[in-house]
Amino acid sequence: MINLYKGNFIDTPTPGEFRVREESVAVVEEGKLISLESQVPREYASLPVRDLGLVIPSFIDLHVHAPQHMQMGAGLDLGLLDWLDNHTFPGETRFANEDYARELYPLFAKELLRQGSLRSVVYGTIHGKSTLILAEALEKAGLTAFVGKINMDQNAPDSLKEETEESLRESVDFCERMAAHERVRPILTPRFAPSCTEKLMKGLGELARKKDLPVQSHLAETRPEARWVSELFPKSRSYTHVYDDCGLLGPGSLMAHGIYLSDEEIELIREREATLVHCPSANINLSSGIMPLGRYLDGGVNPGLGSDVGAGHTLAMYRAVVQAVQVSKLLRVMEPEGNHRTIKLSEAFYLATMGNGRFFTGRGFEPCGAFEAGMSFDALAIDLELPKAVGMSPLNQLERFLYSGDDRHIKTRILAGREL
Amino acid sequence: MINLYKGNFIDTPTPGEFRVREESVAVVEEGKLISLESQVPREYASLPVRDLGLVIPSFIDLHVHAPQHMQMGAGLDLGLLDWLDNHTFPGETRFANEDYARELYPLFAKELLRQGSLRSVVYGTIHGKSTLILAEALEKAGLTAFVGKINMDQNAPDSLKEETEESLRESVDFCERMAAHERVRPILTPRFAPSCTEKLMKGLGELARKKDLPVQSHLAETRPEARWVSELFPKSRSYTHVYDDCGLLGPGSLMAHGIYLSDEEIELIREREATLVHCPSANINLSSGIMPLGRYLDGGVNPGLGSDVGAGHTLAMYRAVVQAVQVSKLLRVMEPEGNHRTIKLSEAFYLATMGNGRFFTGRGFEPCGAFEAGMSFDALAIDLELPKAVGMSPLNQLERFLYSGDDRHIKTRILAGREL
């Protein structure tokens, strides 16, 4: 079946600049973009054309904690450890109760949808059954996602600590049960090196290899954490090597943060083709520091972008786009000796769409993230409802939406050709 | 007339911490808070009690450019000068047309109201008549404000440059016509030293003294601008001294930004009791840097807080509160040798309410900014509509609102006892 959409299409097939195609017509067949034309092709002249106005690719969030959605914004005056102890861990413990998961996770899925994040990679908790409820909620909302049951078998509160073997068994079981879903897939999720024994991580690495599963974790978010890892894993050359030594670093690996990395670690990540997920909002809120994103981009590392709710305080990826630009400006001004460059808005937008989309491509999903022939037609229609007298270009309208708009300005949400 | 409101009242009479008074009753007479009681006083037992839920003081914005409201968010990849030339100046030029002002300024007033900024200090343009239309729009929306017609007689595009004498005459005329308003008052507004001759600024200084008028301007926002000022005004000891030498620095002066100041300048500002208005959003967006707010607070300078729309990208002062905390965290981490301290959320909230309120007190307005006996009853009722199962304390709810809420969560807006 063919669907036609007209509008001003803006995307970033490359990071360097926005591509603006005004007054164009998208020809979509079975959820895929066939072509973007300057007018309705003659063979489809009899078909109806839907006017979307300003159209952009829908957003993709590569790092978000579903159980932390409800604590978003609370307690952020605390440092990382106090924040975990007072807000995050007690909050996650409550998901032992499946009824609680059944009440809260649909609200998380609804908010992702509302904010136009139609694809995401999501952390649950250690609780397999509750995390399956999360996966169900996402699928029910029509969203595409990877969902992970967390593993922790050390340095965690008793209520969230697993036995090593049990943790591995639960992960196997979780991944098997996830086969019931079509557009929500499993991802292995060792929380971060400090809360996982080497045995657990090696077991998960083995599972990733055997079942060809992707992996997500946290890496070098703060200096004290990096020092702690070097004490906990003295045999590994670095924090990054801990994951590599356990078979957890490869093209299917998403490593969040990566602020404090040596050149050797950056090179290892580049070689392994792992993705470093930038989470600017959380990095500010927890006083972690600023990822040198420009250096990573220019050095050939795969970077991604994430909301990192609840340390990040909004699920809106359009705001993460702005935050990535903002922290890069501050890094350049505050650390002039580092020769950092500013991230352009188009580069950050690229990450939130086309860049993050690469992680989905070939992992059970079609290519996505821009309006290119053959890609999944994932789109948001934006209307700022500005007075006509203002007369703003489509590109300035997009800039204004990213900085100052909100979910009320997203008028239509389309994933793989299907309106949600 | 007595009005009774019950709820969980949170405010910051002092910056150090939030004061939470749960399940309390506010007794309000003629727009002023008489007292906050633990229950309805016996003599008022027969009166109705309005339940507001979570109640906070309404917000006050000490620095905002009304004509830039519609350009908010656009073109922020540009540096300050290109941004002014490509967006701000062309945008402001359009307000020569009073019909344009009549169409757009009511939308600005509506958005201030929507975001709970019930008091503000606002820049118009050089156009006296359009700026009177702005004042009218604010008064019509029921808001309290100071409004300034901008003065510029050098280093401005031709379309926005005034003759010195004409500029002074227009200011006198503007201030006289503003007498028609009760709750919107005039403020003298030399844009910033580079765009004003000494003669103009001395004339405005004289006018401020004669008519007891407050003054607003910009100070030391970026390093290149500070250098430029030292070239333009070689007779003055510093940027701050330029204003002081022209009689523009006193208790009624609001100076926006103040990022790059010498110890001598800071001391002068402290002595003159002028207010330095922190605008974190704009300072990030224009790569200006980070104001050392902690140092100013601890050193006895009066600091204020502003949205600085359109270089700032939101009129929501609750977000400026969060941004002030965020940049202070980054300043501490990025400049460890500076021994900067983090700004607590309560301190930033204090600035946006009680701190900013001091500027209104005695300048034609009653004290405001907290729930203290004798203060104007200015209040917002907040409801996050969280599921009951989450069970969040009133203080955590306020934190979540500041970080992650939006205008939809502001259910009631009360200014001087009057619901808007």
Side-chain angles (χ1 to χ4, degrees):
Chain A
M1 187 180 140
I2 298 282
N3 287 294
L4 302 177
Y5 302 94
K6 74 171 178 177
N8 297 317
F9 291 78
I10 306 186
D11 64 354
T12 42
T14 55
E17 56 187 330
F18 287 106
R19 172 170 65 176
V20 183
R21 289 176 288 181
E22 296 193 28
E23 309 270 327
S24 297
V25 178
V27 181
V28 176
E29 185 171 20
E30 306 297 336
K32 273 187 194 166
L33 183 73
I34 301 302
S35 64
L36 203 69
E37 309 281 352
S38 58
Q39 51 190 338
V40 175
R42 206 182 303 168
E43 66 261 47
Y44 305 128
S46 64
L47 294 180
V49 181
R50 174 100 183 271
D51 190 351
L52 294 178
L54 177 61
V55 198
I56 59 173
S58 62
F59 294 108
I60 303 169
D61 188 346
L62 284 197
H63 187 77
V64 56
H65 293 263
Q68 295 175 22
H69 173 222
M70 279 299 155
Q71 80 178 66
M72 196 166 67
L76 289 170
D77 267 3
L78 305 171
L80 173 61
L81 293 183
D82 285 341
W83 174 78
L84 284 171
D85 286 344
N86 287 294
H87 291 271
T88 307
F89 289 150
E92 292 196 7
T93 301
R94 299 185 67 185
F95 285 86
N97 177 347
E98 289 157 42
D99 289 337
Y100 191 67
R102 235 169 255 121
E103 184 176 353
L104 263 65
Y105 280 146
L107 300 177
F108 169 75
K110 194 176 158 192
E111 182 66 11
L112 274 182
L113 176 61
R114 213 165 65 111
Q115 299 296 356
S117 290
L118 307 188
R119 296 173 189 261
S120 56
V121 185
V122 186
Y123 283 62
T125 59
I126 61 158
H127 315 96
K129 283 184 186 153
S130 281
T131 306
L132 285 167
I133 291 167
L134 165 60
E136 253 173 62
L138 292 165
E139 176 116 344
K140 224 176 206 168
L143 300 167
T144 288
F146 287 93
V147 174
K149 176 214 115 47
I150 285 180
N151 304 90
M152 289 202 272
D153 70 341
Q154 69 173 4
N155 295 316
D158 287 343
S159 58
L160 291 175
K161 194 156 62 187
E162 305 167 291
E163 295 299 323
T164 307
E165 292 300 337
E166 171 214 352
S167 182
L168 284 168
R169 255 196 326 273
E170 283 269 326
S171 283
V172 172
D173 185 58
F174 174 79
C175 293
E176 282 170 2
R177 284 168 190 264
M178 285 288 287
H181 298 294
E182 203 183 330
R183 296 194 59 91
V184 180
R185 294 174 172 266
I187 181 166
L188 296 176
T189 307
R191 187 175 204 120
F192 71 151
S195 66
C196 300
T197 59
E198 191 184 313
K199 189 175 169 197
L200 175 59
M201 286 193 283
K202 286 200 161 153
L204 291 169
E206 186 61 17
L207 187 59
R209 197 185 55 76
K210 261 204 251 169
K211 306 270 183 183
D212 193 21
L213 286 165
V215 173
Q216 63 182 343
S217 195
H218 298 83
L219 172 66
E221 181 174 0
T222 65
R223 282 209 177 90
E225 164 214 354
R227 277 194 296 272
W228 191 23
V229 170
S230 66
E231 288 162 24
L232 288 170
F233 301 91
K235 283 187 290 177
S236 290
R237 283 180 64 86
S238 72
Y239 196 159
T240 306
H241 282 87
V242 172
Y243 293 128
D244 194 50
D245 294 346
C246 295
L248 292 169
L249 201 68
S253 304
L254 295 177
M255 292 289 156
H257 308 304
I259 301 177
Y260 300 104
L261 296 174
S262 67
D263 288 348
E264 188 188 357
E265 288 176 274
I266 296 167
E267 182 52 26
L268 178 61
I269 289 163
R270 201 190 56 74
E271 268 175 28
R272 294 288 183 266
E273 297 175 46
T275 298
L276 277 182
V277 187
H278 184 31
C279 304
S281 173
N283 295 161
I284 302 170
N285 289 333
L286 295 178
S287 294
S288 303
I290 301 177
M291 180 207 251
L293 176 59
R295 184 172 304 158
Y296 295 167
L297 276 169
D298 299 342
V301 173
N302 288 335
L305 192 64
S307 68
D308 197 9
V309 158
H313 62 269
T314 171
L315 280 175
M317 283 301 291
Y318 42 97
R319 221 63 103 215
V321 166
V322 168
Q323 288 152 352
V325 171
Q326 290 184 316
V327 295
S328 79
K329 288 177 175 174
L330 287 178
L331 185 62
R332 188 178 66 76
V333 175
M334 306 293 293
E335 229 182 71
E337 70 286 2
N339 286 318
H340 300 287
R341 72 173 178 83
T342 294
I343 300 297
K344 292 167 69 174
L345 194 64
S346 67
E347 290 179 286
F349 186 83
Y350 168 88
L351 290 185
T353 54
M354 182 84 180
N356 283 355
R358 286 187 306 204
F359 186 76
F360 284 78
T361 306
R363 289 197 174 84
F365 300 106
E366 56 288 351
C368 61
F371 300 122
E372 295 273 78
M375 279 195 171
S376 175
F377 187 69
D378 301 355
L380 305 177
I382 307 296
D383 185 352
L384 293 174
E385 293 162 8
L386 293 173
K388 271 212 179 108
V390 172
M392 203 178 248
S393 73
L395 184 54
N396 282 161
Q397 285 177 44
L398 172 57
E399 292 177 334
R400 185 183 171 90
F401 167 70
L402 297 172
Y403 274 89
S404 312
D406 66 39
D407 57 279
R408 285 168 284 195
H409 301 121
I410 307 176
K411 304 297 180 184
T412 306
R413 296 157 179 84
I414 297 171
L415 179 65
R418 181 174 160 230
E419 188 168 338
L420 300 180
Chain B
M1 188 180 137
I2 298 283
N3 287 294
L4 303 178
Y5 302 94
K6 73 170 179 177
N8 297 317
F9 290 79
I10 307 186
D11 63 355
T12 42
T14 55
E17 57 187 329
F18 287 105
R19 171 171 65 176
V20 183
R21 289 175 288 180
E22 296 194 28
E23 308 271 326
S24 298
V25 178
V27 182
V28 176
E29 185 172 17
E30 305 297 338
K32 273 188 194 165
L33 182 72
I34 300 301
S35 62
L36 203 69
E37 309 282 350
S38 57
Q39 52 189 337
V40 175
R42 206 181 304 166
E43 65 261 48
Y44 305 129
S46 64
L47 294 180
V49 181
R50 174 97 183 272
D51 190 351
L52 295 178
L54 176 62
V55 198
I56 59 173
S58 61
F59 293 108
I60 303 169
D61 188 347
L62 283 197
H63 187 77
V64 56
H65 293 263
Q68 296 175 20
H69 173 222
M70 279 298 154
Q71 79 179 66
M72 198 165 66
L76 290 170
D77 267 4
L78 305 172
L80 173 63
L81 293 182
D82 286 341
W83 175 78
L84 284 170
D85 287 344
N86 287 295
H87 292 272
T88 307
F89 289 149
E92 292 196 5
T93 301
R94 300 186 67 186
F95 286 86
N97 177 347
E98 289 157 42
D99 289 338
Y100 191 67
R102 237 169 253 120
E103 186 177 353
L104 263 65
Y105 280 146
L107 300 177
F108 169 75
K110 195 176 157 191
E111 182 66 12
L112 275 183
L113 176 60
R114 214 165 64 110
Q115 299 296 355
S117 290
L118 307 189
R119 296 171 189 261
S120 55
V121 185
V122 186
Y123 282 63
T125 58
I126 62 158
H127 315 97
K129 282 183 188 154
S130 282
T131 306
L132 286 168
I133 291 168
L134 166 60
E136 253 173 61
L138 293 165
E139 176 117 343
K140 225 176 204 167
L143 299 168
T144 289
F146 288 92
V147 174
K149 176 213 115 50
I150 285 181
N151 305 89
M152 288 202 274
D153 69 342
Q154 68 173 5
N155 296 314
D158 287 343
S159 59
L160 291 175
K161 193 154 65 187
E162 307 166 291
E163 294 298 323
T164 308
E165 293 300 337
E166 170 215 352
S167 182
L168 285 168
R169 253 193 331 269
E170 283 268 326
S171 282
V172 171
D173 185 57
F174 174 79
C175 293
E176 281 170 2
R177 284 168 191 264
M178 286 288 286
H181 297 295
E182 204 183 329
R183 296 196 57 92
V184 180
R185 293 172 173 267
I187 181 165
L188 295 176
T189 308
R191 188 175 203 119
F192 71 150
S195 65
C196 300
T197 60
E198 189 183 315
K199 188 174 170 197
L200 175 59
M201 286 193 283
K202 285 200 162 154
L204 292 170
E206 186 61 17
L207 187 58
R209 198 185 54 76
K210 262 204 251 170
K211 306 270 183 182
D212 193 21
L213 286 166
V215 173
Q216 63 182 344
S217 194
H218 298 83
L219 172 66
E221 182 173 359
T222 66
R223 282 210 177 89
E225 163 214 354
R227 276 194 296 271
W228 191 23
V229 170
S230 66
E231 287 161 23
L232 289 169
F233 301 90
K235 284 187 289 178
S236 290
R237 283 181 65 86
S238 73
Y239 197 160
T240 306
H241 281 87
V242 172
Y243 294 126
D244 195 50
D245 295 346
C246 294
L248 291 169
L249 201 68
S253 304
L254 295 177
M255 291 290 156
H257 309 305
I259 300 177
Y260 299 104
L261 296 173
S262 67
D263 288 348
E264 188 188 357
E265 288 177 276
I266 296 167
E267 181 52 25
L268 179 61
I269 290 162
R270 201 190 57 73
E271 267 174 29
R272 293 288 184 264
E273 297 174 48
T275 298
L276 278 181
V277 186
H278 184 32
C279 304
S281 173
N283 297 160
I284 302 170
N285 289 332
L286 296 178
S287 294
S288 303
I290 300 176
M291 180 206 251
L293 175 60
R295 186 172 303 158
Y296 295 168
L297 275 170
D298 299 342
V301 173
N302 288 334
L305 192 65
S307 69
D308 198 7
V309 159
H313 62 269
T314 171
L315 280 175
M317 284 299 292
Y318 43 96
R319 222 63 102 215
V321 166
V322 167
Q323 288 152 351
V325 171
Q326 290 184 316
V327 295
S328 80
K329 288 177 175 174
L330 287 177
L331 185 62
R332 188 177 66 76
V333 175
M334 307 291 293
E335 229 181 73
E337 70 285 3
N339 286 318
H340 299 286
R341 71 170 178 85
T342 295
I343 300 296
K344 292 167 70 172
L345 193 65
S346 66
E347 289 179 290
F349 186 84
Y350 169 87
L351 291 185
T353 53
M354 183 83 180
N356 283 355
R358 285 187 306 205
F359 186 76
F360 284 77
T361 305
R363 288 195 176 85
F365 299 107
E366 57 288 349
C368 61
F371 300 122
E372 295 272 79
M375 280 195 170
S376 176
F377 188 69
D378 300 354
L380 305 176
I382 307 295
D383 186 352
L384 293 173
E385 293 161 10
L386 292 173
K388 272 212 180 111
V390 172
M392 202 179 249
S393 73
L395 183 55
N396 281 162
Q397 285 178 43
L398 171 57
E399 291 177 334
R400 184 183 171 90
F401 168 70
L402 297 172
Y403 274 89
S404 312
D406 66 40
D407 56 278
R408 285 168 283 195
H409 301 121
I410 306 177
K411 303 299 180 183
T412 306
R413 296 156 179 85
I414 298 172
L415 179 64
R418 183 175 156 227
E419 188 166 339
L420 300 180

